[in-house]
Amino acid sequence: MTTHFLFDGPDSGPVTILLAHGAGAPMDSTSMTATAKALAAAGFQVARFEFHYMAARRYGHRKPPPRAETVNPEYVKAIADLRAKGVTGKLIIGGKSMGGRVASMVADEMFAKGEIAGLVCLGYPFHPPGKPEQLRTKHLADLKTPTLIFQGTRDEFGTKEEVATYGLSPAIEVIWLEDGDHDLKPRKAISGFTAGDHLNTVAETIKAKLAQPSASSF
């Protein structure tokens, strides 16, 4: 079964960003759509896709999220299917929460093959909420792929204080978004920022750190 994509942004863009969804919401959720639109406005071509269990929900099959590592092959296939559609040029992979985690588990294999140039995680689920001992960070210690993790300072899946103790690979840069929740949304009355402000920061940071021609030596 060929992967179904939602596209945003210029199809001739020099850099494409492939995004997978989080565990509980589809690729066209409000959060994912807003993210795709912000990235497209910054000049990226954005492709969104769904893992099989989420796509099945559209047909009434209420499947719970599987263990993240079991869908790794689906992410690898999505990369191949995207290329088969004629998408060329630099490719950055990633996703929201679980989608970013799955991308992080296949990134080094794809990076070593020259398939991708970088990884972007939007709200990485470092641990389940309220269970800081159940870490999902082991593979992040020696990650080789240039990586940006965007994390809200109110994210229950990993606080600034907790993440500072994790010993992440030097290839990973964590960008903290003031007062953002797991969807990176801040409370404007408290922080002065809007969700749009934070998504613009995401887009501009990716452009500056992962999408420059000088980064083609990755």
Side-chain angles (χ1 to χ4, degrees):
M1 188 169 74
T2 305
T3 310
H4 171 67
F5 297 100
L6 280 181
F7 285 101
D8 291 274
D11 56 13
S12 58
V15 181
T16 299
I17 301 178
L18 178 62
L19 295 176
H21 53 85
M27 65 179 173
D28 56 356
S29 67
T30 302
S31 171
M32 288 286 290
T33 298
T35 301
K37 301 294 184 198
L39 293 170
F44 293 105
Q45 176 174 224
V46 184
R48 289 175 272 168
F49 78 99
E50 286 180 343
F51 299 117
H52 297 335
Y53 82 91
M54 182 62 72
R57 292 185 180 184
R58 297 182 183 275
Y59 305 99
H61 303 290
R62 291 293 299 177
K63 296 183 177 181
R67 291 180 63 86
E69 55 270 20
T70 65
V71 295
N72 288 4
E74 292 183 43
Y75 207 119
V76 172
K77 184 174 187 300
I79 295 171
D81 287 349
L82 189 65
R83 292 300 195 193
K85 277 188 171 290
V87 174
T88 58
K90 186 174 284 190
L91 178 63
I92 296 168
I93 64 169
K96 165 145 186 24
S97 193
M98 181 185 116
R101 183 182 170 210
V102 175
S104 74
M105 289 190 280
V106 304
D108 274 2
E109 177 191 350
M110 296 291 103
F111 181 61
K113 292 178 178 177
E115 288 282 337
I116 66 168
L119 169 68
V120 171
C121 300
L122 306 167
Y124 188 87
F126 288 102
H127 59 71
K131 299 177 179 176
E133 71 286 352
Q134 291 184 24
L135 288 180
R136 299 159 171 164
T137 56
K138 189 176 179 184
H139 68 290
L140 300 181
D142 55 0
L143 198 72
K144 308 285 191 297
T145 308
T147 300
L148 295 173
I149 295 177
F150 294 92
Q151 202 81 351
T153 59
R154 282 191 300 128
D155 195 332
E156 298 177 323
F157 290 76
T159 67
K160 202 168 185 176
E161 294 72 27
E162 289 168 344
V163 174
T165 68
Y166 290 162
L168 303 178
S169 158
I172 299 172
E173 183 175 354
V174 182
I175 313 292
W176 290 98
L177 299 171
E178 187 61 37
D179 199 56
D181 62 11
H182 194 50
D183 283 339
L184 309 181
K185 287 181 185 167
R187 298 164 295 185
K188 186 167 189 238
I190 290 173
S191 68
F193 293 102
T194 65
D197 292 332
H198 281 350
L199 291 179
N200 286 341
T201 296
V202 168
E204 293 305 320
T205 304
I206 295 171
K207 187 184 280 190
K209 294 180 179 288
L210 290 182
Q212 295 303 313
S214 60
S216 60
S217 58
F218 283 164

